[in-house]
Amino acid sequence: MSAPSMTKFILKRPWLKRWMTPISKWYADAAGYRKLGLRVDDLIPEESETVMLALKRLPPKEAYDRVFRLRRAFQVF
């Protein structure tokens, strides 16, 4: 189960979006996932049946690219 999302709440309020955007960019850079070449979708755990079904529906090229990014990140880390 994932954490509750406040995305819709923040996007409905322009002043809050302007305030949160720099914080979210800082957090994404500080987390280091971009430096490893990973995408946000690569970080979702694969134990869920829903995620497994979504991964099966990926086109072959996208599935290969995802595995390549994960392997490269593990080798670098």
Side-chain angles (χ1 to χ4, degrees), residues 28 33-34 38-45 69:
Y33 301 122
R34 290 181 181 168
L38 295 174
R39 293 184 180 174
V40 174
D41 295 336
D42 295 338
L43 305 174
I44 299 172
R69 287 190 303 269

Side-chain angles (χ1 to χ4, degrees), residues 2 7-8 10-12 22 24 26 28 32 39 44 49 57-58 64-65 71-72 75 77:
S2 63
T7 305
K8 291 180 183 178
I10 293 171
L11 292 177
K12 287 181 182 179
S24 65
W26 171 83
R39 293 184 180 174
I44 299 172
E49 290 184 25
R57 292 180 177 175
L58 282 176
Y64 175 81
D65 290 345
R71 288 184 179 176
R72 183 182 59 203
Q75 290 174 355
F77 188 66

Side-chain angles (χ1 to χ4, degrees), residues 5-37:
S5 176
M6 295 193 56
T7 305
K8 291 180 183 178
F9 179 81
I10 293 171
L11 292 177
K12 287 181 182 179
R13 291 152 181 86
W15 64 271
L16 189 55
K17 182 182 175 189
R18 282 193 307 270
W19 187 74
M20 291 297 289
T21 300
I23 295 171
S24 65
K25 288 182 180 181
W26 171 83
Y27 177 77
D29 289 337
Y33 301 122
R34 290 181 181 168
K35 293 177 186 173
L36 295 174

